[in-house]
Amino acid sequence: TIIYASHVLEGLAAWATHLAFLSPGRLRRFGALADVDDLRTGEAAAPAGAAPGGPSALHQLCERWMREDRRSR
């Protein structure tokens, strides 16, 4: 088991199998990537017109969660 904790999200989707999103004082999300609804439903898909080779859906989802977390504080 390897736990990788970082703000560097580039390339993460190529090898990550599980995801844990920690917010001050609580575990907001945890589970296998295959079970993350936002990734399965396409909510984190690249926006229309996005450049090929841009951030992965996982990268975009993590950024979205961090923005939401920041706004809620």
Short mmCIF file of all heavy atoms in Angstrom, two decimals:
data_model
loop_
_atom_site.label_atom_id
_atom_site.label_comp_id
_atom_site.label_asym_id
_atom_site.label_seq_id
_atom_site.Cartn_x
_atom_site.Cartn_y
_atom_site.Cartn_z
N THR A 1 0.85 -1.19 0.00
CA THR A 1 0.00 0.00 0.00
C THR A 1 0.88 1.23 0.00
O THR A 1 1.83 1.31 0.76
CB THR A 1 -0.90 0.02 1.24
OG1 THR A 1 -1.71 -1.15 1.24
CG2 THR A 1 -1.76 1.26 1.27
N ILE A 2 0.53 2.15 -0.87
CA ILE A 2 1.22 3.45 -0.92
C ILE A 2 0.17 4.52 -0.76
O ILE A 2 -0.85 4.51 -1.43
CB ILE A 2 1.96 3.64 -2.25
CG1 ILE A 2 3.05 2.58 -2.40
CG2 ILE A 2 2.54 5.05 -2.34
CD1 ILE A 2 3.71 2.58 -3.76
N ILE A 3 0.41 5.45 0.15
CA ILE A 3 -0.46 6.61 0.30
C ILE A 3 0.30 7.81 -0.23
O ILE A 3 1.42 8.09 0.22
CB ILE A 3 -0.86 6.82 1.77
CG1 ILE A 3 -1.65 5.61 2.25
CG2 ILE A 3 -1.65 8.11 1.92
CD1 ILE A 3 -1.97 5.62 3.71
N TYR A 4 -0.29 8.50 -1.19
CA TYR A 4 0.33 9.66 -1.83
C TYR A 4 -0.54 10.87 -1.50
O TYR A 4 -1.69 10.91 -1.91
CB TYR A 4 0.40 9.41 -3.33
CG TYR A 4 0.96 10.54 -4.15
CD1 TYR A 4 2.33 10.77 -4.19
CD2 TYR A 4 0.13 11.36 -4.88
CE1 TYR A 4 2.85 11.79 -4.96
CE2 TYR A 4 0.64 12.39 -5.65
CZ TYR A 4 2.01 12.61 -5.69
OH TYR A 4 2.52 13.62 -6.44
N ALA A 5 0.00 11.78 -0.75
CA ALA A 5 -0.74 12.99 -0.39
C ALA A 5 -0.03 14.18 -1.02
O ALA A 5 1.13 14.43 -0.74
CB ALA A 5 -0.80 13.15 1.12
N SER A 6 -0.74 14.88 -1.89
CA SER A 6 -0.10 15.97 -2.61
C SER A 6 -1.13 16.91 -3.20
O SER A 6 -2.28 16.53 -3.42
CB SER A 6 0.77 15.42 -3.74
OG SER A 6 1.37 16.47 -4.45
N HIS A 7 -0.68 18.11 -3.45
CA HIS A 7 -1.50 19.06 -4.20
C HIS A 7 -1.16 18.97 -5.70
O HIS A 7 -1.82 19.59 -6.51
CB HIS A 7 -1.26 20.48 -3.69
CG HIS A 7 0.14 20.96 -3.96
ND1 HIS A 7 1.21 20.54 -3.21
CD2 HIS A 7 0.63 21.78 -4.90
CE1 HIS A 7 2.31 21.10 -3.68
NE2 HIS A 7 2.00 21.85 -4.71
N VAL A 8 -0.18 18.18 -6.05
CA VAL A 8 0.21 18.00 -7.44
C VAL A 8 -0.70 16.92 -8.04
O VAL A 8 -0.62 15.76 -7.66
CB VAL A 8 1.69 17.59 -7.58
CG1 VAL A 8 2.05 17.37 -9.04
CG2 VAL A 8 2.58 18.65 -6.95
N LEU A 9 -1.57 17.31 -8.95
CA LEU A 9 -2.58 16.41 -9.49
C LEU A 9 -2.27 15.90 -10.88
O LEU A 9 -2.90 14.96 -11.35
CB LEU A 9 -3.94 17.12 -9.50
CG LEU A 9 -4.41 17.65 -8.14
CD1 LEU A 9 -5.66 18.48 -8.31
CD2 LEU A 9 -4.63 16.51 -7.18
N GLU A 10 -1.32 16.49 -11.55
CA GLU A 10 -1.00 16.10 -12.92
C GLU A 10 -0.49 14.67 -12.98
O GLU A 10 0.38 14.28 -12.22
CB GLU A 10 0.07 17.04 -13.50
CG GLU A 10 0.18 16.97 -14.99
CD GLU A 10 -1.11 17.35 -15.70
OE1 GLU A 10 -1.75 18.32 -15.30
OE2 GLU A 10 -1.47 16.65 -16.66
N GLY A 11 -1.07 13.85 -13.82
CA GLY A 11 -0.65 12.48 -14.00
C GLY A 11 -1.23 11.51 -12.98
O GLY A 11 -0.98 10.31 -13.05
N LEU A 12 -2.00 11.99 -12.05
CA LEU A 12 -2.54 11.17 -10.99
C LEU A 12 -3.45 10.06 -11.51
O LEU A 12 -3.41 8.92 -11.02
CB LEU A 12 -3.32 12.06 -10.01
CG LEU A 12 -3.90 11.43 -8.77
CD1 LEU A 12 -2.78 10.88 -7.89
CD2 LEU A 12 -4.71 12.45 -8.00
N ALA A 13 -4.24 10.33 -12.51
CA ALA A 13 -5.22 9.36 -13.02
C ALA A 13 -4.55 8.13 -13.63
O ALA A 13 -5.17 7.08 -13.73
CB ALA A 13 -6.13 10.02 -14.05
N ALA A 14 -3.28 8.24 -14.00
CA ALA A 14 -2.60 7.12 -14.66
C ALA A 14 -2.32 5.96 -13.70
O ALA A 14 -2.17 4.83 -14.15
CB ALA A 14 -1.29 7.60 -15.28
N TRP A 15 -2.27 6.22 -12.40
CA TRP A 15 -1.92 5.14 -11.48
C TRP A 15 -2.76 5.06 -10.22
O TRP A 15 -2.71 4.06 -9.51
CB TRP A 15 -0.44 5.22 -11.13
CG TRP A 15 -0.03 6.52 -10.52
CD1 TRP A 15 0.44 7.61 -11.18
CD2 TRP A 15 -0.07 6.88 -9.14
NE1 TRP A 15 0.69 8.63 -10.29
CE2 TRP A 15 0.39 8.20 -9.03
CE3 TRP A 15 -0.44 6.21 -7.98
CZ2 TRP A 15 0.49 8.87 -7.82
CZ3 TRP A 15 -0.36 6.87 -6.77
CH2 TRP A 15 0.11 8.17 -6.69
N ALA A 16 -3.55 6.06 -9.92
CA ALA A 16 -4.36 6.03 -8.69
C ALA A 16 -5.47 4.99 -8.79
O ALA A 16 -6.05 4.78 -9.85
CB ALA A 16 -4.96 7.41 -8.44
N THR A 17 -5.75 4.32 -7.68
CA THR A 17 -6.84 3.34 -7.65
C THR A 17 -7.94 3.77 -6.69
O THR A 17 -9.09 3.42 -6.87
CB THR A 17 -6.33 1.95 -7.21
OG1 THR A 17 -5.75 2.05 -5.90
CG2 THR A 17 -5.32 1.41 -8.21
N HIS A 18 -7.58 4.54 -5.66
CA HIS A 18 -8.52 5.01 -4.66
C HIS A 18 -8.30 6.50 -4.41
O HIS A 18 -7.24 7.03 -4.73
CB HIS A 18 -8.35 4.25 -3.34
CG HIS A 18 -8.83 2.84 -3.42
ND1 HIS A 18 -8.15 1.88 -4.14
CD2 HIS A 18 -9.91 2.24 -2.89
CE1 HIS A 18 -8.79 0.73 -4.04
NE2 HIS A 18 -9.87 0.93 -3.29
N LEU A 19 -9.29 7.10 -3.81
CA LEU A 19 -9.24 8.54 -3.58
C LEU A 19 -9.75 8.84 -2.18
O LEU A 19 -10.77 8.28 -1.77
CB LEU A 19 -10.13 9.24 -4.61
CG LEU A 19 -10.34 10.74 -4.49
CD1 LEU A 19 -9.05 11.46 -4.84
CD2 LEU A 19 -11.44 11.18 -5.42
N ALA A 20 -9.05 9.69 -1.45
CA ALA A 20 -9.51 10.19 -0.15
C ALA A 20 -9.39 11.70 -0.20
O ALA A 20 -8.32 12.23 -0.49
CB ALA A 20 -8.67 9.62 0.99
N PHE A 21 -10.50 12.39 0.05
CA PHE A 21 -10.48 13.85 0.06
C PHE A 21 -10.70 14.30 1.49
O PHE A 21 -11.75 14.08 2.07
CB PHE A 21 -11.56 14.41 -0.86
CG PHE A 21 -11.65 15.92 -0.86
CD1 PHE A 21 -10.52 16.70 -0.91
CD2 PHE A 21 -12.88 16.55 -0.81
CE1 PHE A 21 -10.59 18.08 -0.92
CE2 PHE A 21 -12.97 17.93 -0.82
CZ PHE A 21 -11.82 18.70 -0.87
N LEU A 22 -9.67 14.90 2.06
CA LEU A 22 -9.71 15.36 3.43
C LEU A 22 -9.97 16.86 3.46
O LEU A 22 -9.35 17.62 2.73
CB LEU A 22 -8.38 15.06 4.13
CG LEU A 22 -7.94 13.61 4.12
CD1 LEU A 22 -6.51 13.48 4.63
CD2 LEU A 22 -8.89 12.77 4.94
N SER A 23 -10.89 17.25 4.31
CA SER A 23 -11.19 18.65 4.53
C SER A 23 -11.00 18.87 6.02
O SER A 23 -11.19 17.93 6.80
CB SER A 23 -12.64 18.93 4.11
OG SER A 23 -12.94 20.29 4.22
N PRO A 24 -10.61 20.07 6.44
CA PRO A 24 -10.29 20.25 7.86
C PRO A 24 -11.29 19.56 8.79
O PRO A 24 -12.48 19.87 8.80
CB PRO A 24 -10.32 21.76 8.04
CG PRO A 24 -9.92 22.28 6.69
CD PRO A 24 -10.55 21.31 5.70
N GLY A 25 -10.78 18.57 9.52
CA GLY A 25 -11.57 17.90 10.52
C GLY A 25 -12.45 16.75 10.06
O GLY A 25 -13.13 16.13 10.86
N ARG A 26 -12.44 16.44 8.76
CA ARG A 26 -13.30 15.34 8.31
C ARG A 26 -12.82 14.75 6.99
O ARG A 26 -12.12 15.39 6.22
CB ARG A 26 -14.74 15.79 8.18
CG ARG A 26 -14.98 16.81 7.11
CD ARG A 26 -16.41 17.35 7.19
NE ARG A 26 -16.57 18.39 6.20
CZ ARG A 26 -17.41 18.32 5.18
NH1 ARG A 26 -18.19 17.28 5.04
NH2 ARG A 26 -17.50 19.30 4.34
N LEU A 27 -13.25 13.52 6.77
CA LEU A 27 -13.01 12.82 5.51
C LEU A 27 -14.24 13.02 4.65
O LEU A 27 -15.31 12.52 4.95
CB LEU A 27 -12.78 11.32 5.78
CG LEU A 27 -12.56 10.43 4.57
CD1 LEU A 27 -11.29 10.84 3.83
CD2 LEU A 27 -12.48 8.99 5.01
N ARG A 28 -14.11 13.81 3.59
CA ARG A 28 -15.27 14.14 2.75
C ARG A 28 -15.61 13.05 1.75
O ARG A 28 -16.77 12.78 1.48
CB ARG A 28 -15.02 15.44 1.99
CG ARG A 28 -15.18 16.65 2.87
CD ARG A 28 -15.16 17.94 2.10
NE ARG A 28 -16.13 17.97 1.01
CZ ARG A 28 -16.13 18.88 0.05
NH1 ARG A 28 -15.23 19.83 0.04
NH2 ARG A 28 -17.02 18.84 -0.90
N ARG A 29 -14.60 12.46 1.14
CA ARG A 29 -14.82 11.40 0.14
C ARG A 29 -13.74 10.36 0.29
O ARG A 29 -12.59 10.67 0.54
CB ARG A 29 -14.74 11.95 -1.29
CG ARG A 29 -15.63 13.10 -1.60
CD ARG A 29 -17.01 12.62 -2.01
NE ARG A 29 -17.88 13.74 -2.22
CZ ARG A 29 -18.37 14.11 -3.40
NH1 ARG A 29 -18.09 13.42 -4.47
NH2 ARG A 29 -19.16 15.15 -3.49
N PHE A 30 -14.14 9.10 0.12
CA PHE A 30 -13.17 8.01 0.13
C PHE A 30 -13.75 6.85 -0.66
O PHE A 30 -14.94 6.54 -0.56
CB PHE A 30 -12.86 7.53 1.54
CG PHE A 30 -11.95 6.33 1.55
CD1 PHE A 30 -10.60 6.48 1.31
CD2 PHE A 30 -12.46 5.07 1.76
CE1 PHE A 30 -9.76 5.38 1.28
CE2 PHE A 30 -11.63 3.96 1.73
CZ PHE A 30 -10.28 4.12 1.49
N GLY A 31 -12.92 6.23 -1.48
CA GLY A 31 -13.35 5.03 -2.18
C GLY A 31 -12.53 4.77 -3.41
O GLY A 31 -11.61 5.52 -3.75
N ALA A 32 -12.86 3.67 -4.06
CA ALA A 32 -12.20 3.31 -5.31
C ALA A 32 -12.60 4.31 -6.39
O ALA A 32 -13.74 4.79 -6.41
CB ALA A 32 -12.61 1.91 -5.72
N LEU A 33 -11.69 4.64 -7.28
CA LEU A 33 -12.00 5.58 -8.35
C LEU A 33 -13.19 5.11 -9.17
O LEU A 33 -14.01 5.93 -9.60
CB LEU A 33 -10.79 5.79 -9.27
CG LEU A 33 -9.63 6.59 -8.68
CD1 LEU A 33 -8.53 6.74 -9.73
CD2 LEU A 33 -10.07 7.93 -8.17
N ALA A 34 -13.31 3.81 -9.36
CA ALA A 34 -14.43 3.27 -10.15
C ALA A 34 -15.77 3.54 -9.49
O ALA A 34 -16.81 3.51 -10.15
CB ALA A 34 -14.24 1.76 -10.34
N ASP A 35 -15.76 3.83 -8.19
CA ASP A 35 -17.00 4.08 -7.45
C ASP A 35 -17.30 5.56 -7.23
O ASP A 35 -18.28 5.90 -6.58
CB ASP A 35 -16.96 3.38 -6.09
CG ASP A 35 -16.88 1.87 -6.23
OD1 ASP A 35 -17.36 1.34 -7.26
OD2 ASP A 35 -16.34 1.22 -5.31
N VAL A 36 -16.46 6.44 -7.74
CA VAL A 36 -16.67 7.89 -7.57
C VAL A 36 -17.70 8.33 -8.60
O VAL A 36 -17.41 8.37 -9.81
CB VAL A 36 -15.35 8.68 -7.71
CG1 VAL A 36 -15.60 10.18 -7.63
CG2 VAL A 36 -14.36 8.24 -6.65
N ASP A 37 -18.90 8.61 -8.13
CA ASP A 37 -20.02 8.94 -9.03
C ASP A 37 -19.68 10.07 -9.99
O ASP A 37 -20.04 10.02 -11.16
CB ASP A 37 -21.27 9.31 -8.23
CG ASP A 37 -21.90 8.11 -7.55
OD1 ASP A 37 -21.66 6.97 -8.01
OD2 ASP A 37 -22.62 8.31 -6.56
N ASP A 38 -19.00 11.11 -9.52
CA ASP A 38 -18.69 12.26 -10.37
C ASP A 38 -17.82 11.87 -11.56
O ASP A 38 -17.89 12.50 -12.61
CB ASP A 38 -18.01 13.37 -9.58
CG ASP A 38 -18.93 14.04 -8.57
OD1 ASP A 38 -20.16 13.91 -8.72
OD2 ASP A 38 -18.42 14.67 -7.64
N LEU A 39 -17.00 10.85 -11.42
CA LEU A 39 -16.16 10.39 -12.53
C LEU A 39 -16.95 9.49 -13.48
O LEU A 39 -16.76 9.52 -14.68
CB LEU A 39 -14.93 9.65 -12.01
CG LEU A 39 -13.90 10.49 -11.28
CD1 LEU A 39 -12.82 9.60 -10.68
CD2 LEU A 39 -13.30 11.53 -12.20
N ARG A 40 -17.84 8.69 -12.94
CA ARG A 40 -18.63 7.77 -13.76
C ARG A 40 -19.69 8.49 -14.57
O ARG A 40 -20.00 8.10 -15.69
CB ARG A 40 -19.30 6.71 -12.90
CG ARG A 40 -18.33 5.69 -12.37
CD ARG A 40 -19.03 4.60 -11.67
NE ARG A 40 -19.91 5.20 -10.66
CZ ARG A 40 -20.73 4.52 -9.89
NH1 ARG A 40 -20.82 3.22 -10.02
NH2 ARG A 40 -21.47 5.11 -9.00
N THR A 41 -20.26 9.57 -14.02
CA THR A 41 -21.35 10.26 -14.71
C THR A 41 -20.85 11.29 -15.70
O THR A 41 -21.62 11.86 -16.43
CB THR A 41 -22.28 10.96 -13.70
OG1 THR A 41 -21.52 11.94 -12.98
CG2 THR A 41 -22.90 9.97 -12.75
N GLY A 42 -19.54 11.53 -15.69
CA GLY A 42 -18.99 12.49 -16.64
C GLY A 42 -19.03 13.93 -16.16
O GLY A 42 -18.70 14.85 -16.89
N GLU A 43 -19.43 14.16 -14.90
CA GLU A 43 -19.47 15.53 -14.38
C GLU A 43 -18.11 16.18 -14.42
O GLU A 43 -18.00 17.39 -14.51
CB GLU A 43 -20.00 15.55 -12.94
CG GLU A 43 -21.48 15.37 -12.83
CD GLU A 43 -21.96 15.55 -11.41
OE1 GLU A 43 -21.45 16.46 -10.73
OE2 GLU A 43 -22.85 14.81 -10.99
N ALA A 44 -17.06 15.38 -14.33
CA ALA A 44 -15.71 15.94 -14.31
C ALA A 44 -15.07 15.90 -15.69
O ALA A 44 -13.89 16.13 -15.84
CB ALA A 44 -14.84 15.15 -13.33
N ALA A 45 -15.86 15.62 -16.70
CA ALA A 45 -15.31 15.56 -18.06
C ALA A 45 -14.77 16.91 -18.49
O ALA A 45 -15.18 17.94 -17.98
CB ALA A 45 -16.40 15.10 -19.03
N ALA A 46 -13.85 16.88 -19.43
CA ALA A 46 -13.25 18.12 -19.92
C ALA A 46 -14.32 19.01 -20.53
O ALA A 46 -15.22 18.54 -21.21
CB ALA A 46 -12.18 17.80 -20.96
N PRO A 47 -14.23 20.31 -20.27
CA PRO A 47 -15.19 21.24 -20.84
C PRO A 47 -15.13 21.26 -22.36
O PRO A 47 -14.10 20.95 -22.95
CB PRO A 47 -14.77 22.60 -20.28
CG PRO A 47 -13.69 22.35 -19.29
CD PRO A 47 -13.22 20.94 -19.46
N ALA A 48 -16.20 21.64 -23.00
CA ALA A 48 -16.23 21.75 -24.46
C ALA A 48 -15.12 22.70 -24.90
O ALA A 48 -14.91 23.74 -24.29
CB ALA A 48 -17.59 22.25 -24.91
N GLY A 49 -14.40 22.31 -25.91
CA GLY A 49 -13.34 23.16 -26.44
C GLY A 49 -12.02 23.02 -25.71
O GLY A 49 -11.07 23.72 -26.01
N ALA A 50 -11.95 22.11 -24.72
CA ALA A 50 -10.71 21.93 -23.98
C ALA A 50 -9.64 21.34 -24.90
O ALA A 50 -9.94 20.56 -25.79
CB ALA A 50 -10.93 20.99 -22.80
N ALA A 51 -8.41 21.73 -24.67
CA ALA A 51 -7.30 21.26 -25.50
C ALA A 51 -7.02 19.80 -25.22
O ALA A 51 -7.07 19.36 -24.08
CB ALA A 51 -6.05 22.09 -25.20
N PRO A 52 -6.73 19.02 -26.28
CA PRO A 52 -6.36 17.62 -26.07
C PRO A 52 -5.12 17.53 -25.19
O PRO A 52 -4.24 18.38 -25.27
CB PRO A 52 -6.06 17.11 -27.48
CG PRO A 52 -6.63 18.12 -28.41
CD PRO A 52 -6.72 19.42 -27.66
N GLY A 53 -5.05 16.52 -24.37
CA GLY A 53 -3.89 16.36 -23.49
C GLY A 53 -3.96 17.25 -22.27
O GLY A 53 -3.00 17.34 -21.52
N GLY A 54 -5.10 17.88 -22.04
CA GLY A 54 -5.27 18.73 -20.87
C GLY A 54 -5.45 17.89 -19.61
O GLY A 54 -5.26 16.67 -19.62
N PRO A 55 -5.84 18.53 -18.53
CA PRO A 55 -6.01 17.82 -17.26
C PRO A 55 -7.02 16.68 -17.37
O PRO A 55 -8.02 16.79 -18.07
CB PRO A 55 -6.53 18.89 -16.31
CG PRO A 55 -6.19 20.20 -16.95
CD PRO A 55 -6.17 19.95 -18.42
N SER A 56 -6.75 15.59 -16.66
CA SER A 56 -7.64 14.44 -16.66
C SER A 56 -8.94 14.78 -15.93
O SER A 56 -9.02 15.78 -15.20
CB SER A 56 -6.97 13.26 -15.97
OG SER A 56 -6.84 13.52 -14.57
N ALA A 57 -9.93 13.93 -16.07
CA ALA A 57 -11.20 14.11 -15.37
C ALA A 57 -10.97 14.07 -13.86
O ALA A 57 -11.58 14.85 -13.11
CB ALA A 57 -12.19 13.04 -15.79
N LEU A 58 -10.07 13.21 -13.39
CA LEU A 58 -9.76 13.14 -11.96
C LEU A 58 -9.13 14.43 -11.48
O LEU A 58 -9.50 14.96 -10.43
CB LEU A 58 -8.84 11.95 -11.68
CG LEU A 58 -8.37 11.79 -10.25
CD1 LEU A 58 -9.55 11.65 -9.29
CD2 LEU A 58 -7.42 10.61 -10.12
N HIS A 59 -8.20 14.94 -12.24
CA HIS A 59 -7.54 16.21 -11.92
C HIS A 59 -8.58 17.32 -11.80
O HIS A 59 -8.61 18.07 -10.82
CB HIS A 59 -6.52 16.52 -13.02
CG HIS A 59 -5.72 17.76 -12.80
ND1 HIS A 59 -4.41 17.82 -13.18
CD2 HIS A 59 -6.01 18.97 -12.29
CE1 HIS A 59 -3.94 19.03 -12.90
NE2 HIS A 59 -4.90 19.74 -12.35
N GLN A 60 -9.47 17.41 -12.77
CA GLN A 60 -10.49 18.45 -12.76
C GLN A 60 -11.46 18.28 -11.58
O GLN A 60 -11.87 19.26 -10.96
CB GLN A 60 -11.26 18.43 -14.08
CG GLN A 60 -10.39 18.88 -15.24
CD GLN A 60 -11.11 18.75 -16.55
OE1 GLN A 60 -12.19 19.31 -16.71
NE2 GLN A 60 -10.55 17.99 -17.47
N LEU A 61 -11.81 17.04 -11.27
CA LEU A 61 -12.71 16.79 -10.15
C LEU A 61 -12.07 17.22 -8.84
O LEU A 61 -12.71 17.88 -8.02
CB LEU A 61 -13.08 15.30 -10.10
CG LEU A 61 -13.95 14.88 -8.92
CD1 LEU A 61 -15.29 15.61 -8.94
CD2 LEU A 61 -14.15 13.37 -8.92
N CYS A 62 -10.81 16.86 -8.63
CA CYS A 62 -10.12 17.25 -7.40
C CYS A 62 -10.04 18.77 -7.28
O CYS A 62 -10.26 19.32 -6.20
CB CYS A 62 -8.72 16.63 -7.36
SG CYS A 62 -8.73 14.84 -7.13
N GLU A 63 -9.74 19.45 -8.38
CA GLU A 63 -9.70 20.91 -8.35
C GLU A 63 -11.07 21.48 -8.01
O GLU A 63 -11.18 22.43 -7.23
CB GLU A 63 -9.22 21.47 -9.69
CG GLU A 63 -7.74 21.31 -9.88
CD GLU A 63 -7.25 21.96 -11.17
OE1 GLU A 63 -8.07 22.22 -12.08
OE2 GLU A 63 -6.04 22.19 -11.26
N ARG A 64 -12.13 20.90 -8.57
CA ARG A 64 -13.49 21.37 -8.27
C ARG A 64 -13.80 21.20 -6.78
O ARG A 64 -14.31 22.12 -6.13
CB ARG A 64 -14.51 20.63 -9.11
CG ARG A 64 -15.91 21.25 -8.98
CD ARG A 64 -16.95 20.49 -9.76
NE ARG A 64 -17.43 19.42 -8.89
CZ ARG A 64 -17.91 18.27 -9.31
NH1 ARG A 64 -17.97 17.99 -10.60
NH2 ARG A 64 -18.32 17.38 -8.46
N TRP A 65 -13.47 20.05 -6.22
CA TRP A 65 -13.71 19.82 -4.80
C TRP A 65 -12.94 20.80 -3.94
O TRP A 65 -13.45 21.30 -2.94
CB TRP A 65 -13.33 18.40 -4.42
CG TRP A 65 -14.29 17.34 -4.88
CD1 TRP A 65 -15.54 17.52 -5.39
CD2 TRP A 65 -14.06 15.94 -4.86
NE1 TRP A 65 -16.10 16.30 -5.69
CE2 TRP A 65 -15.22 15.32 -5.37
CE3 TRP A 65 -13.01 15.14 -4.45
CZ2 TRP A 65 -15.34 13.94 -5.47
CZ3 TRP A 65 -13.12 13.77 -4.57
CH2 TRP A 65 -14.29 13.18 -5.08
N MET A 66 -11.69 21.09 -4.32
CA MET A 66 -10.89 22.04 -3.53
C MET A 66 -11.48 23.46 -3.62
O MET A 66 -11.51 24.18 -2.62
CB MET A 66 -9.43 22.02 -4.00
CG MET A 66 -8.71 20.75 -3.59
SD MET A 66 -6.95 20.74 -3.95
CE MET A 66 -6.95 20.52 -5.73
N ARG A 67 -11.95 23.85 -4.81
CA ARG A 67 -12.59 25.18 -4.94
C ARG A 67 -13.85 25.25 -4.08
O ARG A 67 -14.09 26.24 -3.39
CB ARG A 67 -12.92 25.48 -6.39
CG ARG A 67 -11.73 25.93 -7.23
CD ARG A 67 -12.16 26.49 -8.58
NE ARG A 67 -12.92 25.51 -9.37
CZ ARG A 67 -12.37 24.58 -10.16
NH1 ARG A 67 -11.07 24.51 -10.29
NH2 ARG A 67 -13.13 23.75 -10.85
N GLU A 68 -14.68 24.20 -4.11
CA GLU A 68 -15.89 24.17 -3.30
C GLU A 68 -15.55 24.24 -1.82
O GLU A 68 -16.22 24.94 -1.05
CB GLU A 68 -16.70 22.89 -3.58
CG GLU A 68 -17.33 22.88 -4.95
CD GLU A 68 -17.91 21.52 -5.32
OE1 GLU A 68 -17.81 20.56 -4.50
OE2 GLU A 68 -18.48 21.40 -6.41
N ASP A 69 -14.51 23.52 -1.41
CA ASP A 69 -14.07 23.51 -0.02
C ASP A 69 -13.63 24.91 0.40
O ASP A 69 -13.98 25.39 1.47
CB ASP A 69 -12.93 22.51 0.13
CG ASP A 69 -12.56 22.27 1.58
OD1 ASP A 69 -13.45 21.96 2.38
OD2 ASP A 69 -11.37 22.39 1.90
N ARG A 70 -12.87 25.58 -0.46
CA ARG A 70 -12.38 26.92 -0.15
C ARG A 70 -13.55 27.90 0.00
O ARG A 70 -13.57 28.72 0.90
CB ARG A 70 -11.43 27.40 -1.24
CG ARG A 70 -10.74 28.72 -0.87
CD ARG A 70 -9.78 29.19 -1.93
NE ARG A 70 -8.78 28.19 -2.24
CZ ARG A 70 -8.38 27.89 -3.47
NH1 ARG A 70 -8.88 28.54 -4.52
NH2 ARG A 70 -7.48 26.98 -3.71
N ARG A 71 -14.54 27.79 -0.91
CA ARG A 71 -15.70 28.69 -0.84
C ARG A 71 -16.53 28.47 0.43
O ARG A 71 -17.09 29.41 0.97
CB ARG A 71 -16.60 28.51 -2.06
CG ARG A 71 -16.12 29.23 -3.29
CD ARG A 71 -17.18 29.26 -4.38
NE ARG A 71 -17.61 27.95 -4.81
CZ ARG A 71 -17.13 27.29 -5.87
NH1 ARG A 71 -16.18 27.86 -6.60
NH2 ARG A 71 -17.57 26.10 -6.19
N SER A 72 -16.60 27.22 0.89
CA SER A 72 -17.42 26.91 2.05
C SER A 72 -16.81 27.39 3.36
O SER A 72 -17.48 27.46 4.37
CB SER A 72 -17.71 25.42 2.13
OG SER A 72 -16.56 24.69 2.45
N ARG A 73 -15.52 27.70 3.33
CA ARG A 73 -14.86 28.17 4.57
C ARG A 73 -15.10 29.60 4.74
O ARG A 73 -14.96 30.53 4.76
CB ARG A 73 -13.38 27.89 4.53
CG ARG A 73 -13.09 26.44 4.70
CD ARG A 73 -11.67 26.23 4.97
NE ARG A 73 -11.17 25.19 4.07
CZ ARG A 73 -9.91 24.91 3.95
NH1 ARG A 73 -9.01 25.56 4.60
NH2 ARG A 73 -9.53 23.94 3.15
#
